[in-house]
Amino acid sequence: FGIKICILYCVSVLASFRGTVQHGLPLEIGDTVLFILSPQGIFPCTYIHLKNAHIKNKGQFETVIPTEDSVITEMTTTLRDWGAMWKRLYVKNEGDLFHRLWHVMNEILDLRRQVLVGHLTNDRMKDVKQHITARLDWGNEQLSLDLVPRREFSMVDPDEISVTELFKLMEHRHRKKETPVPASTHHLFVHMKSLMSSNLGEELEVFFHIYDGRENRPLSERFFVRLNKNGVPKSPEKTERQCTLFVDLGSSDLRKDVYIVVHIMRIGRMGAGEKKNVCSIQYRRPFGCAVVSIADLLTADSKDDHLLKVYACTTESEWYQIHENIIRKVNSRYNLSGSNTGLAVSLQLLHGDIEQLRREYMVLFTRGVSITKKLGFSDIIMPGEMRNDLYVTLEKGEFEKGGKSVARNVEITVYVLDIEGQVMKSYVAAGSGEPGGDEYHSFVLYHNNSPRWAEQIKLPIPVDMFRGAHVRFEFRHCSTKDKGEKKLFGYSFVHLMQEDGRTLPDGTHELIIHKCEENANLQDSSRYLKLPFSKANLPGNNQAVKGTKESFWITSFLCSTKLTQNGDMLDLLKWRAHPEKINDSLSKLKEIDGSEIVKFLQDTLDTLFGILDESSQRYGLKVFDCLVHIINLLQDSKFQHFKPVMDTYIESHFAGALSYRDLIKVLKWYVDRIVDAEHQDHIQQVLKATEYIFKYIIQSRRLFALATGGQSEEEFRCCIHELFMSIRFFLSQENKITSPVTQTQAVFLRTFPAVYGELLKIFTVKEVAGFVRETLGSLPATAHAECPLEAVKLHCIAKTVESQLYTNPESRCILLPVVLRLLQAHMQEQRDLVMCARILTSMLSLIRKDDSPVVSEEVDLIVDSLLVVLMRTILEITNRPQPAGTNMRLQFQDITGEFVACLLALLRQMSDKHYQQLLQTFTSKDDLRDFLLQIFTVFRILIRPEMFPKDWTVMRLVTNNVIITTVLYLSDALRKNFLNEKFDYKVWDSYFYLSVIFINQPCLQLESFSPSKRKRVLEKYGDMRVMMGCEIFSMWQNLGEHKLNFIPAMIGPFLEVTLVPQPDLRNVMIPIFHDMMDWEQRRSGNFKQVEAKLIDKLDSLMSEGKGDETYRELFNSILLKKIERETWRESGISLIATVTRLMERLLDYRDCMKLGEVDGKKIGCTVSLLNFYKTELNKEEMYIRYIHKLYELHLKAQNYTEASYTLLLYDELLEWSDRPLREFLNYPMQSEWQRKEYLHLTIVQNFDRGKCWENGIILCRELADQYESYYDYRNLSKMRMMEASLYDKIMDQQRLEPEFFRVGFYGKKFPFFLRNKEFVCRGHDYERLEAFQQRMLNEFPHAIAMQHVNQPDQTIYQAEAQYLQIYAVSPIPESQDVLQRDGVPDNIKSFYKVNHIWRFRYDRPFHKGTKDKENEFKSLWVERTTLTLVQSLPGISRWFEVEKRELVEVSPLENAIEVIENKNLQLRTLIAQCQSRQMQNINPLTMCLNGVIDAAVNGGLARYQEAFFVKDYIVNHPEDGEKIGRLRELMFEQAHILEYGLAVHEKFVPQDMRPLHKKLVDQFHVMKSSLGIQEFPAYVRASPVHFTNGSPRSSCRNSVPNIISPDGARVVARRSPLTYPAVNRYSSSSLSSQASNEVSNITGQSESSDEVFNMQPSPSTSSLSSNHSASPNVTSSAPSSARGSPQLQDKHKHSRENSCLSSRERPVSAIYPNPLDPAQVNTHKQINTQTNSVKEVNNTQFSDTVGKLLCPPVPPSSLPPFTPSPTECQSAGLVSNSPVLSGSYSSGISSMSRCSVSEASGTEATTGDHPAHQGPTMPNSVSSGSDELIRRENKTPPPYSVYERSNPRRPVPLPHSLSIPPSVDPPALPPKPHQLRTSSMKLVPTSDPRRADGVPHVPRPRPLPRKVSQL
């Protein structure tokens, strides 16, 4: 034997050993170590405890099992498993279960210690083990662990018992757990607490009893409690006097009309309010009554305290029925005894027999509780129950006045007297709870000569004292006078037993009241016992007594197991005294009540056999009939417990040694008359008693043989043989179904199996088996299916198989053929399957797995007869619909499980020989094929999850073990018989399908098991998945060219197998895919089918949680290695790479979906997968599925705009056609037109919720066109109204502009779709950089935030970590035509600023060359990064990947120009808003003026002068001459704007800010002086802000063309601390504080009241860039002529001054819409014409889209051309809503198409009218024209007006996915001139994201919609 080494649980410090010594063996608590030899020095001996053990399963999976009680072993292993799970409960915050499990574990540990000590008695040990297993089962159930099969508290080894036994054990435990058997006996626990009342002061008596309101009678005796004057029990220390158990209530007693009735009596004076007197006599007087329905307690699980209302009678004479009045709610007869009177009691219903309650409520019984019995016997009478209780109810009395003027106050005193006239002590009880007394006093009713008491008393008189005893009732009048005397005036009595031995009959008795004197002596009872006591039995001549009016009524009821009131019973028992009455008595026996017979069962039986022995000829038949009657009486459920009494009588007391002859003779006489008898009822009664008749026959014969030494043996055997011949004859009769003989046959068959055991006492096993075989064989074979005899036959067979006879192998071989024949017939016809299952289960439970020939022969017989029919039965019952009723469904599941267990048991018994014989029985291939298909189908059914409850893992493992063993046997038959030319696809397919399902079963996925459970399974069965996988591979290799039949059908199933996380299984199965690819390549030259099937199945399988990263790597490596030498290697590598990439995305998708809330990671992953299906795999259906998954994610995250774009992808695939589409996802079957209409409406609704109304309008129009084309004017009207509402929302509702953030994901730990990529993300409303960064870190909790903005190096890219790089970027709008238009409201422009954005910009300042500490502006460059996305934002995601990066470096001079231009534009805007009174508060203007002037005074502009106006710079940078001039102009222009702004400020400034204004004016003069400005040049002398039409819109909402690039190279400028505070954002600076202050003041921005400038912070450390890096929107530039506006009073002066100015000095109407001459307009037109001739030469830095993007339409004119100066170029004016004004104010939707109005016009402009550098000439004068003409022609056309001239419908810029090309090209409008400057910026990437190689930008073509097949 082995030695088990285990660590004791109680060890703490010494519990673990780390094995740090040489040769040390580390130990943990609970480790098992097996010693073959005794080693030394490996661990301390005190750490271990030695146990004897034995080894099982020797080898790799051997198990060391200690030789100790199996319950201890189970406790140990279970507690270890629970320990780990218990800790996980704490982590999961399941506190309730955590604490409950902790208590149970401690309880089990304590019980384990008790068992280990071994000092318990057997009974106590049994109780402890039962308690332990109950706790173990509870814990396993709570933790969802497996159900443990047990037999007598010990775990069962499934290999040691048959499968059918295992199933029965599992089912028994499952049923016990699920459906507890309802108890048939119930008990009511009552605990009297107290009586609360305001008028107490006297002692009380409380009586409880149970009352049947339906029959108006009490069901129980009374429970009696005495209360003291305070209303609490008098003996609080004696709990049995306060608590009782009303026992033996039947289920029929628990109904609504059964009540607990409480009567309360007070002990005191006659009247409750009487004053105290010297009289000490007290009376029992009524106090109150309470009632509660027992149905109210049925819902209460625990002891509930009840406060019962107490009622009193309105009339005292009604007291006897007060409870009935309360129940019937006769309110007039009772009322509340007091407003606050209540009875506090505790009531609880308990269920089960009394012994069970004693065990469960031990404390209750040990503390003490009285038992209150039911009146009469319980539903089940138990033998040995001793009871002799006489209940007497004092009903009523009729009394005369007795010469008094008022009625009497009558009290009754009750005594019990014995035969000698002595009072019997303690035999008068008022009820349980109080001990019995010598006498009983009734309560007194005041002045009532007809009192009704209805008081019940109990007289528990012993049986031996009953004879001669009587009860005496004494009547006394209770005086209310001072003396308070009780005067005796009469008495009554009644005898308890009559002279013939009968007791007082139950019922009401009218007793005679005998008058007497008050001092009469009644002690001598002999004086009155001779008198008559009842009026019922008075002699006829005693009329005097009969006529008296005085009477007393009582009701008696005897509940006795020994005394009888039946005279016939007494006559029978005394048959020897009256032999003449024998015939009569035997005839009347059947009329006697059964309870009377069972009382005297032994005496009665002795009487019958005594008569039989003495007069068998005369009374034999009648005695036989009486015996049959008594035997059948015991079949009644009420008396069935007396069967053991009769058995004991037969074994021990029966003495009729000669009776067997008479019994056999009479029984045969009855059997012989069965066929001819007309009435079968009596014969059937005889046959029902066959079992006990045979018991008497056999016992009688044994007594005779014992007495005579075995004489007459042959005679006896001959009689028995003749009897069975008669039986076989009547059984062989074929009759009609309804024939009485058929019913008699059925009666006999029901009782026949009970005879076997008796026959075995005399006959041998083989003889009895022969009797049974011949008897059962005589039954008619051809019976109708509906014949009741068929079911009875099976019942008989079932009892036969379960009998002792069948368990003997000798008899079994005789009986088996008969049993199998009947069983097979029923199962083939699918009849009585429940009973068939029961029989088969019993048969197979007896067969043990051994090699004996007997067992082998039995198995052979069963296999031949039942295997095929058993499988067919399982198929039938599993395929038929389950019945509806719960009970029927349970029965249905039971028989399915039983048949399955039988099949498994049979297969497990089969050996090689049996399989060979079975396969040889199939004579043709078709039969074998059908058998294999059938058994494979059955196995698939057995594997179903619903076959067994989920916690039946033991049963499932046994099932799988049998299946795999059988499959291994049958696979040989498959190979031999169905390959090559005999190949059968269906059989092979069924085989493979079964194998795949087998491997994928949840119960075989060992990875999901706990380590201990996994170890146990591997030890017992190994990994059955690998075994089956190897078998699949082997069978696949045998297929040869037939493999093509399974390609591609088996790709999906085999792929599912390889996804099982078992390395060995994967290594075996993955190479099959190479084989499939190879054979498919041979067949069709490619393996497209393999690829398609792999891809389709991968998605569904991985979404179910299957597969992992290891599988992806293994799949890739194994297949790449396999195809190395194949000719098709390249295409194979391509397929493997595609599948591997798909796995990467699917794994990422699955990981992301596990997270709780919707975040960017989920959406990004879904977008990645969606695009992969569309672009790389072209899987249309999967693409659409993921569109809808993405749509749901967006809706959940409330990304309504993105949801619309997502659904639009599906919408684009559909057309407006009537093609029918099938049902798909949540869409019903409908036409393509209907689905597209539904999608349009859904998308419009989501665009509306996302405030992207412009896109919704386009879809509304498209729908409206469809409705119009179908003349659906109703819907057309609704659509037009919807469109109008969207327009209203654009103008009326405010939209927030989102900020945009660039996010870089670096490191290998990111998911594949993010790894080492950068994205631009559209932020949520109100979300700023800090909030966005925190959100990203929450989504990626393991990521590290990078603190710089430089591109990371390779070490970061390859790091095994996650790095996040986040900073804000600014959008570069595409729709410049809308933004440039004059008069377009900001509500409209704001949409185009932040929608349809492809490109974003970020500026980073840096110093190049030597940094001048005195003036940092000299070397301050800006690195401008432009990011181009793969898709525009917003789109189907909130973020898109960056496709291209461009780096441009902006020189210090250009930077300065941008800064001042932006500040000038901001000043103009604020001044215009102030003038037009759009500004509610002048503070923004004040702060802006203060910031600029203060910075200039402190050296801001002076720093620019020092840096760029000095001689050294001009000499060293001759190419910057024009820019220096431009900077100078801007500085002068800024000064002029400031001067004008101060004038406006003075007009509106409030009084309290006047000192600040004065300071600003003074500082301005200082600034002018520092700049050397005495008088402004002519080109800036005009008012900088002047509106001829009174509207500021054109000036304040236009923007300046960019000086760097056509899109505006912009620096995000942070505002100065003095600018408008609402949006001030600060950052650190690397410049000197002075420079920082100056620059920030120069570049500061403010907000107007009607526009919100949401500036984005830059991650830069320089204040120039970090002040929003000059706001990516800020750096639009304008020609100098845009900076001023003339202030002359007439147009001639204006024209004259303009004619003297250069074009730079000349104002442009696009900025300041002042009148121009027609000639001037014509000049513009001609200039534009001239520009085309030199466009190719000078337009080297800008694309042809400049004009398109920057030039709004200008009315044509006919002026002669003029030549501009070489340093000038034409201007389009300030770009509308330039970045300076937009900040990051956006709302969500980008333009989705480039087919917009602006593009259409812009395209023509670039081809014909695009401006370029002009020649050196400049016109000297400009002609004047009329103001009116210019004003009319200069008005900006409203949106879409261009198209209205040629198109009936006005298009708007479309989203790329909504693009609808206009049917007619709009006429081109010449653009306004714009200025081109030479830039010194360095273009790092040479291509613009929107164009390449100078080719004009063409909008990205939208892919043509693909047709969706039926989706």
Side-chain angles (χ1 to χ4, degrees), residues 1656-1684:
Q1656 299 176 0
S1658 161
S1660 162
T1661 56
S1662 163
S1663 69
L1664 258 183
S1665 94
S1666 64
N1667 282 327
H1668 259 56
S1669 301
S1671 166
N1673 311 326
V1674 170
T1675 58
S1676 300
S1677 63
S1680 60
S1681 56
R1683 306 307 176 207

Side-chain angles (χ1 to χ4, degrees), residues 1565-1578:
H1565 289 305
V1566 175
M1567 169 190 161
K1568 283 203 329 182
S1569 302
S1570 67
L1571 293 176
I1573 301 174
Q1574 302 303 322
E1575 187 175 348
F1576 291 105

